[in-house]
Amino acid sequence: MSSEKKSAAAKEPLVKVEHLKQYFKVSRKATVKAVDDVSFEIMPGETLGLVGESGCGKTTCGRCVVGMYTPTSGTVTYRGKDVHSLKGKEKKEFNKEVQVIFQDPYASLDPRMTVSEIIGEGMDIHHLYMDKDARRNRIGELLHMVGLNQEHANRFIHEFSGGQRQRIGIARALAVEPKFIMCDEPVSALDVSIQAQVANLLISLQERMGLTYLFIAHDLAMVKHISDRVAVMYLGAVMELADSHELYEHPMHPYTKALMSAIPIADPHTEDTRQRIVLEGEVPSPINPPPGCKFQNRCAYAMECCHKAAPPLEEVSPGHYVACYLCQKGKEAAAAAAEEAK
Amino acid sequence: MSSNEPIATTDLRRRFELVDQSTLNAEQVVRKNIGFWSDAWRRFRQNKVAMFFAAILLILIVLAIFGPAISGKDYITINGMEKNIAPCSEYWFGTDNMGRDMFARSWVALRTSLIIALVSAVIQLVIGCVYGAIMGSVGGVVDEVMMRIVEVFSCVPNLILVTLLLVVFGNGYPQLLLALSISSWTGTARLVRGQVFKLRESEYVMAATALGGGRMHNIVKHLLPNTMGLLILEMAQAIPNVIFSETSLSFLGIGLQPPNFSLGSMLATGQSSMTFYPYQLVIPCALLALIVLSFNVIGDALRDALDPQLRT
């Protein structure tokens, strides 16, 4: 894995997100800043995990990346082309290469369609088969790939369980032979036992087909299991971005630290001694986020500079980006001063 | 303890049978694959009451078409000698105050009411669908303006609007149809608008868009099939409503005028001689009740059958 990653790092990023902002008008005065100045890159063949609590803009961010929403400002480039200015043939090609797996397998499949119609939908749109036999064979192949069988093809969605439905959703995305898949909490609606199955299915598919994932989730353990790198979002902004092991072993941002301390450990003795960092207060409304650092009003180390301007996402150690004055080298002196004052 | 164990195992062996893995065809399709419509029909059939009323409705419709021919008497000839005869072997439903055969007249009246109801319901559905679909798919300012228009239409008291229309434009089939449809489409329009909004935001339409499906693809593959059940239901519920409205209008004397007549105008005449010749009121009344009841029961059963949430 690691050698693969190194060669990937030398390559051009597959997806590049720069200063992405997505605001929604809720009334004449109020605007929800769902995604506020987010930048990251996704290398070919890697899995970028995107974690954060409910309502922090993970899904919105993901949907912007795959072109489902038109962002307020900022750019998303896929293979060097701006995703939101694609037209005609290029747009169709983009739709073929970039696919989505949705969170809710009950809502994302049309109840009036049979499984073969659902999986064949993308193939019909892009004319990916020669004749009916080829279409049927391909659908059988896809069903087999996701762990279902040919006999399921003529059934309706209501005849399946949640895990099976999610597999159908995955098969639908795979039908057009994509290169990049945005997985929008693909396992959170499922039973824990099924979660592992589906996650392992995604990993094995990635190994077999060289897929690139943007994996959105709020389950930290799941993200660690599946991701090469992880970005932590809070209130529409990326707080920390690092290699998944690095992030879990050495979290730097106070918010990430609090998140990591909340992961339950499957060992009663360690679990008993686990120190939880409990954050005070509530997540501020994205309609009126505080100026400066988004996390300042709940941060135990908030300094004066945090109230003034939002800290930029800076590389503090190789591949480890943090948006916190406390961790950034230039501001180390200020941090030390603040510590001393306490 | 140890002496008990063998007994327990043999006991278990007797109770449980070892199953070979090869016989476990968990994924084998046992039941025939059924589509949405055949599934709905299967569940409709299971509803005994609905099937009974469907049969009654069928009989009533057949009688409305062929009924007048059965008695062999026509429904317009006035016979001054045979006024107000109670039901007998000659006149099965009796005669009215002008000596006309009530049997033939009842079926013709039912036919008129049914035709008006059907045409009006179709008009309501078509206008409502087109209007609602435009509201739902365009959205924004257009939706706002169109919604206000709908609100204006549904605020005006229906009876006043209809009376006004019939008084201004006169009585007759086209005017009556216009009057019956003028405000009833607003409900359908709202329903379709809501459905289009819901479907447009649904994840499977999003998924289709992400797959590269255009607007036409989404309409044909997702919007229409998912709205069909709703429309059938709306139709089944609109028909009894229209029958009732038309009956009330004719009963009040602002609906169809002689020589045209419907169940409502028969009720009106029957009501005036209710004390002496009750059958003149009871017969059209019973027909009206039966037809409306059948439609309502069938509508209810359809709702149950078409609702995917109630699937078993």
Side-chain angles (χ1 to χ4, degrees):
Chain A
M1 277 295 263
S2 64
S3 66
E4 200 180 294
K5 213 180 295 162
K6 262 175 200 132
S7 66
K11 280 189 240 161
E12 278 286 289
L14 186 71
V15 179
K16 200 169 179 181
V17 179
E18 285 171 301
H19 303 290
L20 186 73
K21 288 180 186 172
Q22 175 77 62
Y23 298 165
F24 294 108
K25 267 199 165 147
V26 276
S27 71
R28 227 160 261 166
K29 280 177 194 160
T31 314
V32 171
K33 296 184 176 179
V35 176
D36 202 6
D37 204 354
V38 164
S39 305
F40 57 81
E41 290 173 352
I42 306 172
M43 296 295 163
E46 81 163 345
T47 301
L48 178 70
L50 198 55
V51 288
E53 53 199 288
S54 308
C56 73
K58 305 181 297 275
T59 297
T60 312
C61 182
R63 287 184 177 177
C64 279
V65 171
V66 297
M68 284 163 99
Y69 292 157
T70 313
T72 314
S73 73
T75 52
V76 178
T77 47
Y78 176 78
R79 289 182 192 275
K81 284 177 187 153
D82 185 0
V83 168
H84 297 94
S85 57
L86 292 174
K87 289 248 157 55
K89 217 176 176 181
E90 279 188 328
K91 174 89 183 160
K92 213 163 183 186
E93 189 57 31
F94 173 77
N95 280 332
K96 190 180 160 304
E97 289 200 4
V98 176
Q99 272 307 307
V100 183
I101 296 170
F102 288 90
Q103 170 174 15
D104 184 356
Y106 292 83
S108 61
L109 304 170
D110 191 332
R112 301 290 155 90
M113 283 181 152
T114 61
V115 169
S116 68
E117 282 174 321
I118 289 170
I119 296 175
E121 195 178 1
M123 289 156 64
D124 294 343
I125 292 168
H126 295 284
H127 311 290
L128 294 181
Y129 52 88
M130 302 297 285
D131 50 33
K132 280 197 168 162
D133 278 343
R135 184 178 189 268
R136 199 175 51 239
N137 290 339
R138 175 82 179 123
I139 287 169
E141 203 177 290
L142 284 161
L143 281 171
H144 190 70
M145 209 183 281
V146 297
L148 298 170
N149 59 38
Q150 181 89 46
E151 280 165 350
H152 292 116
N154 294 322
R155 288 206 216 165
F156 281 82
I157 288 310
H158 64 91
E159 298 172 69
F160 291 95
S161 70
Q164 287 175 314
R165 289 183 204 206
Q166 195 58 291
R167 287 163 190 272
I168 295 165
I170 294 170
R172 170 176 63 187
L174 292 177
V176 292
E177 292 158 8
K179 302 274 186 298
F180 173 59
I181 300 180
M182 191 270 274
C183 310
D184 184 2
E185 309 206 19
V187 295
S188 62
L190 308 174
D191 229 299
V192 182
S193 58
I194 317 271
Q195 279 191 3
Q197 285 179 19
V198 172
N200 289 335
L201 170 67
L202 286 171
I203 293 171
S204 71
L205 287 171
Q206 178 172 41
E207 280 164 8
R208 219 180 318 162
M209 303 164 77
L211 297 168
T212 306
Y213 291 142
L214 172 61
F215 192 89
I216 299 172
H218 54 243
D219 182 338
L220 294 160
M222 179 61 75
V223 170
K224 185 183 179 187
H225 176 59
I226 208 168
S227 310
D228 298 317
R229 288 193 302 147
V230 177
V232 179
M233 270 185 93
Y234 179 78
L235 211 62
V238 172
M239 295 283 136
E240 189 163 2
L241 192 154
D243 269 12
S244 110
H245 281 285
E246 167 78 5
L247 187 87
Y248 282 78
E249 298 304 321
H250 309 289
M252 288 193 181
H253 197 286
Y255 177 62
T256 319
K257 281 183 183 163
L259 270 189
M260 296 306 158
S261 78
I263 305 176
I265 303 161
D267 171 30
H269 298 291
T270 339
E271 175 70 17
D272 280 345
T273 55
R274 183 160 63 98
Q275 291 276 315
R276 274 211 66 183
I277 305 170
V278 181
L279 293 176
E280 282 176 19
E282 286 287 313
V283 185
S285 158
I287 294 175
N288 246 332
C293 178
K294 307 247 175 200
F295 190 57
Q296 42 141 315
N297 65 330
R298 302 174 73 188
C299 182
Y301 313 100
M303 299 171 287
E304 206 175 311
C305 54
C306 300
H307 297 280
K308 285 176 185 149
L313 195 65
E314 271 181 21
E315 193 166 7
V316 289
S317 63
H320 196 144
Y321 298 80
V322 185
C324 181
Y325 289 126
L326 204 62
C327 318
Q328 287 165 10
K329 282 174 182 164
K331 305 281 177 180
E332 235 162 32
E339 287 288 278
E340 263 173 44
K342 273 183 188 171
Chain B
M1 273 303 279
S2 57
S3 62
N4 280 346
E5 260 170 23
I7 299 169
T9 358
T10 45
D11 201 36
L12 276 180
R13 285 233 181 86
R14 217 175 299 134
R15 214 174 287 163
F16 297 104
E17 205 177 308
L18 269 177
V19 180
D20 187 14
Q21 276 293 320
S22 61
T23 61
L24 278 174
N25 276 325
E27 288 303 334
Q28 197 189 16
V29 180
V30 191
R31 205 174 63 173
K32 212 179 85 202
N33 288 313
I34 46 172
F36 175 77
W37 294 110
S38 51
D39 189 34
W41 170 234
R42 180 182 64 86
R43 269 176 304 133
F44 185 81
R45 253 182 337 197
Q46 283 171 354
N47 191 334
K48 292 277 153 30
V49 181
M51 285 308 281
F52 175 71
F53 276 99
I56 287 194
L57 183 65
L58 201 69
I59 293 168
L60 283 178
I61 289 174
V62 168
L63 281 171
I65 298 168
F66 302 109
I70 296 173
S71 68
K73 301 200 166 48
D74 86 76
Y75 61 94
I76 28 177
T77 313
I78 297 171
N79 190 343
M81 305 298 289
E82 293 175 326
K83 282 195 265 186
N84 298 327
I85 296 175
C88 58
S89 59
E90 169 93 29
Y91 298 104
W92 296 336
F93 285 2
T95 60
D96 69 359
N97 57 1
M98 290 201 225
R100 293 172 294 198
D101 179 30
M102 283 275 286
F103 185 80
R105 280 183 79 75
S106 297
W107 300 123
V108 174
L110 184 66
R111 184 194 296 169
T112 317
S113 290
L114 272 175
I115 289 173
I116 289 175
L118 212 65
V119 174
S120 175
V122 167
I123 293 175
Q124 166 189 340
L125 231 64
V126 170
I127 298 178
C129 260
V130 172
Y131 198 94
I134 293 173
M135 279 201 286
S137 53
V138 178
V141 185
V142 178
D143 175 47
E144 283 288 317
V145 173
M146 287 173 89
M147 198 63 198
R148 293 297 93 75
I149 296 173
V150 166
E151 271 159 21
V152 168
F153 265 104
S154 43
C155 285
V156 180
N158 208 4
L159 194 62
I160 296 179
L161 189 69
V162 167
T163 316
L164 214 70
L165 265 173
L166 289 174
V167 169
V168 174
F169 293 113
N171 305 73
Y173 287 108
Q175 289 90 332
L176 189 67
L177 283 175
L178 174 75
L180 288 171
S181 320
I182 192 142
S183 56
S184 58
W185 59 271
T186 54
T188 315
R190 280 181 197 201
L191 195 81
V192 171
R193 171 182 178 267
Q195 183 73 2
V196 171
F197 262 130
K198 194 184 101 188
L199 291 177
R200 231 170 42 137
E201 294 297 315
S202 76
E203 287 192 341
Y204 53 83
V205 173
M206 272 191 199
T209 316
L211 282 167
R215 183 178 272 229
M216 264 331 272
H217 172 90
N218 288 349
I219 290 175
V220 173
K221 291 275 176 179
H222 299 287
L223 256 94
L224 282 180
N226 279 289
T227 320
M228 226 29 154
L230 206 70
L231 292 182
I232 288 178
L233 207 59
E234 185 71 0
M235 182 93 175
Q237 286 165 345
I239 289 175
N241 282 343
V242 180
I243 292 178
F244 254 143
S245 317
E246 184 272 328
T247 309
S248 348
L249 288 178
S250 298
F251 185 76
L252 292 172
I254 51 174
L256 288 175
Q257 298 298 311
N260 297 325
F261 63 99
S262 69
L263 284 176
S265 36
M266 277 185 85
L267 280 175
T269 17
Q271 176 252 353
S272 58
S273 52
M274 181 173 73
T275 333
F276 305 106
Y277 312 111
Y279 66 91
Q280 289 183 8
L281 179 67
V282 170
I283 289 166
C285 224
L287 279 182
L288 179 71
L290 260 184
I291 194 101
V292 171
L293 188 65
S294 322
F295 271 113
N296 279 337
V297 170
I298 291 169
D300 264 4
L302 274 179
R303 196 191 53 221
D304 292 348
L306 290 172
D307 190 349
Q309 309 292 332
L310 294 171
R311 281 183 177 201
T312 43

